[in-house]
Amino acid sequence: MKKTVKDIEIKGRRALVRCDFNVPLKEGKITDDIRIVSALPTIKYLLDGGAKVILMSHLGRPEGEPNPKYTLAPVAERLAELLGQEIVFISADTVVDEKVREAAAALEEGQVMLLENVRYRKEETKNGAEFAKELAGLGDFFVNDAFGTAHRAHSSTAGVADYLPAVSGFLIEKEVEFLGNAVENPERPFVAIMGGAKVGDKIPVIENLIKKVDTLIIGGGMSYTFFKARGLEIGTSILDEANIELAAELEKKAAEAGVKLLLPVDCVCAKEFKNDTEYGVYSKDAMPADMMGMDIGPETVELYKAAVAEAKTVVWNGPMGVFEMENFAKGTRAVAEALAQSSAVTVLGGGDSAAAVEQFGLADKMTHISTGGGASLEFLEGKVLPGIAVIEDK
Ligand code: AMP
């Protein structure tokens, strides 16, 4: 168990908090403030407890140079509205300078300060010790609440913990609780559902999960690499050439581990990669040479629904088909509905499966939707995330 803000003395102390304020902007205006809103519970807890709060984040890719396009000024403004209080914001080119140090030292209990984009500094993404020390010098303890960057060892996500006691905020606590428990301590049967297009990205996850799950369900574009490994015709379907052999090995490993590995038994195939094209349902052994697999078929849907119905824990990452196109969204929708109806603990990795359940209006029916795409994948791979490793154990 990792220490959280609840495990450290906060009153009168300066909390240096790494948030994920990497919000989408259009012409300098924030188009979606969910990341700021999500950070509020930790910030409010600290303020209510009498801490002096110093927030930091990156925004976009200024590539180590000050660039007004990536200033956190709009975040400061929105944060002030949401918290109903003034935010001290000094847009220093070097993020930390004398003025910033003075302002941080002058903060009173219950006051908030936001630093400028930490990626204005080249050292940030290299986990430069000097920059980490400058940041750490502003606070008395470090709170990491940015799950989306927890898989990166940067000055503001990991380096600062060399100089300050480190705890997690509520967002990271929740991610560790749900992703961690699902993978390390699941209630069984434990079913993992993997889909999406980028097979290469998911193979390490599959390798790790094979050691832990009872059933592994494969869908989406990656299915065809498994089909190819079995010598099946896959037509013009997406294929990860480099990983065909690995797919065969994974099937073997699953069999050896006594893990049920479910692949589609039928597919919705299309002539072209677009919604309005000729399409139809074909058995896995009868995919036409001039068509591509776009979704799992109706028999597969029933098979996967039955597996989910028995599960007590489900981890899902990646859509079952090209869900962005209406004609090929049925498989993903059916799986999302099966999860929504299930009484199992349902955990979604970020990215496209999260976008899919949003699209279907089922997001609030899931136990936990991870906020970090890359970070949640690395977590499911069983990797140690640097931004979490630095947090002290209870
Ligand atoms: P990923 O980022 O790897 O999770 O991939 C998500 C993307 O995979 C989505 O944009 C889907 O449209 C795409 N996808 C899912 N199934 C297929 C498929 N059969 N062929 C091509 N793309 C697919």
Side-chain angles (χ1 to χ4, degrees):
M1 291 281 271
K2 292 289 182 182
K3 280 191 186 169
T4 77
V5 281
K6 292 200 165 158
D7 301 306
I8 195 162
E9 182 65 44
I10 62 173
K11 185 157 172 55
R13 300 180 78 205
R14 291 170 305 155
L16 180 68
V17 189
R18 177 56 156 99
C19 296
D20 180 1
F21 291 148
N22 186 27
V23 291
L25 288 170
K26 204 171 173 193
E27 283 150 23
K29 294 258 176 303
I30 297 170
T31 55
D32 183 354
D33 66 358
I34 182 73
R35 289 189 167 162
I36 305 176
V37 172
S38 306
L40 294 177
T42 299
I43 298 170
K44 282 188 178 154
Y45 174 85
L46 290 165
L47 293 174
D48 291 348
K52 306 164 180 181
V53 176
I54 302 156
L55 307 171
M56 55 182 174
S57 175
H58 78 285
L59 173 65
R61 292 169 185 261
E63 317 234 322
E65 291 193 1
N67 181 342
K69 196 175 149 202
Y70 298 107
T71 176
L72 279 173
V75 173
E77 208 175 294
R78 184 76 192 110
L79 200 54
E81 285 165 16
L82 289 165
L83 286 172
Q85 71 179 81
E86 193 198 331
I87 307 289
V88 180
F89 177 70
I90 300 167
S91 178
D93 281 357
T94 52
V95 186
V96 183
D97 66 6
E98 211 36 54
K99 261 167 105 181
V100 169
R101 267 188 277 273
E102 277 167 21
L107 280 182
E108 288 179 17
E109 288 180 17
Q111 284 192 325
V112 186
M113 172 173 185
L114 173 66
L115 304 182
E116 186 51 281
N117 191 341
V118 285
R119 290 199 189 161
Y120 273 19
R121 288 282 290 269
K122 276 188 205 54
E123 306 96 305
E124 162 66 1
T125 53
K126 299 188 186 105
N127 197 9
E130 215 27 67
F131 184 42
K133 215 186 272 182
E134 285 174 38
L135 291 169
L138 303 173
D140 297 315
F141 63 97
F142 170 54
V143 180
N144 193 2
D145 211 18
F147 185 69
T149 47
H151 58 316
R152 305 274 181 244
H154 293 172
S155 299
S156 71
T157 63
V160 281
D162 287 342
Y163 311 98
L164 292 176
V167 298
S168 70
F170 298 129
L171 286 175
I172 285 206
E173 181 191 26
K174 199 163 166 252
E175 297 280 1
V176 173
E177 182 187 338
F178 285 106
L179 286 169
N181 268 345
V183 177
E184 298 308 331
N185 200 12
E187 223 190 304
R188 294 185 181 276
F190 175 19
V191 175
I193 308 174
M194 302 297 299
K198 295 175 225 141
V199 191
D201 284 5
K202 310 273 170 86
I203 279 183
V205 180
I206 298 175
E207 273 187 317
N208 185 44
L209 290 179
I210 272 182
K211 296 180 236 149
K212 317 201 181 253
V213 297
D214 300 293
T215 303
L216 179 64
I217 293 178
I218 305 279
M222 72 167 68
S223 316
Y224 310 108
T225 303
F226 283 85
F227 281 11
K228 191 80 182 172
R230 287 182 173 188
L232 293 171
E233 169 69 63
I234 62 163
T236 54
S237 306
I238 187 169
L239 171 68
D240 186 347
E241 288 263 10
N243 285 311
I244 300 172
E245 241 168 74
L246 199 56
E249 257 171 57
L250 289 173
E251 273 215 72
K252 216 169 106 203
K253 274 191 193 160
E256 281 164 9
V259 169
K260 242 195 263 174
L261 187 134
L262 301 181
L263 282 168
V265 290
D266 58 352
C267 303
V268 181
C269 298
K271 270 264 154 64
E272 287 176 82
F273 191 77
K274 57 183 191 190
N275 189 59
D276 298 313
T277 183
E278 191 189 323
Y279 68 96
V281 175
Y282 296 87
S283 150
K284 69 174 193 316
D285 314 300
M287 284 177 71
D290 63 343
M291 291 180 106
M292 63 187 82
M294 297 288 275
D295 195 8
I296 54 174
E299 253 190 73
T300 308
V301 164
E302 291 311 313
L303 184 72
Y304 290 4
K305 269 165 65 178
V308 168
E310 282 176 13
K312 290 267 169 50
T313 305
V314 184
V315 168
W316 181 19
N317 192 296
M320 297 291 97
V322 187
F323 74 99
E324 299 93 335
M325 302 180 191
E326 208 191 321
N327 288 336
F328 310 110
K330 286 195 191 76
T332 305
R333 183 190 292 271
V335 166
E337 280 168 358
L339 259 65
Q341 281 157 17
S342 150
S343 56
V345 174
T346 49
V347 180
L348 268 65
D352 278 307
S353 13
V357 295
E358 284 288 346
Q359 183 181 308
F360 304 141
L362 296 170
D364 60 345
K365 298 275 189 338
M366 306 294 149
T367 312
H368 177 66
I369 300 181
S370 177
T371 51
S376 72
L377 274 181
E378 291 201 13
F379 207 109
L380 296 175
E381 281 171 33
K383 282 194 187 156
V384 174
L385 275 51
I388 291 177
V390 298
I391 297 166
E392 290 164 24
D393 290 314
K394 272 197 200 182

